[in-house]
Amino acid sequence: MTFIDELRLRVERVRLECERLKVASETARQNEEAKAEELRAWERIFAAEGGTGRVTPPIPPHTVIVKIDKTQRCARIVKDAGAVGVTPREVRDAFNKQGFELSLNYVFNILSRLKKTGTVEQREGRYYTKS
């Protein structure tokens, strides 16, 4: 194994670990949000039944809840790959790790849309963020 091969391997290992940590962080954030909402619901029930305790107000109407769609997630996966780029199979695998079961055809469609909008470019079967 050459020095360059060893560097590639190390870079790939660190990239995969970063991806795993991002997924774990997102999962933890979603779990925390779900539990916080459950807590607010129980506090409202407790207060309505005449108990005492802290009751948190509902989320104000001006609060924006951001949901990232699959196209945005795909663009993020390509961006996170950096100069190495990604193949459609690698994108599908990243989605699978995030809990989305997508067909390879669907991934190709997303990448095609991103290519048309100029967000990504394709070179030799790999996709890169357009600079």
Side-chain angles (χ1 to χ4, degrees), residues 54-116:
R54 191 178 67 102
V55 177
T56 55
I59 297 174
H62 62 276
T63 301
V64 177
I65 298 175
V66 178
K67 292 193 179 202
I68 299 175
D69 65 18
K70 292 180 185 86
T71 302
Q72 291 171 323
R73 284 180 188 263
C74 185
R76 180 60 184 245
I77 291 167
V78 174
K79 181 180 178 187
D80 289 347
V84 176
V86 289
T87 65
R89 288 184 194 278
E90 291 170 334
V91 172
R92 182 194 59 191
D93 294 344
F95 270 107
N96 289 345
K97 288 179 185 176
Q98 295 175 9
F100 295 96
E101 295 294 324
L102 303 180
S103 70
L104 195 54
N105 188 44
Y106 189 78
V107 172
F108 272 105
N109 286 333
I110 295 173
L111 289 169
S112 175
R113 283 195 305 263
L114 289 171
K115 210 165 101 174
K116 284 179 185 175

Side-chain angles (χ1 to χ4, degrees), residues 26-41:
E26 178 66 18
T27 301
R29 186 190 60 76
Q30 290 172 351
N31 288 341
E32 187 273 333
E33 287 176 358
K35 286 299 174 184
E37 180 58 36
E38 181 182 358
L39 175 62
R40 286 190 294 270

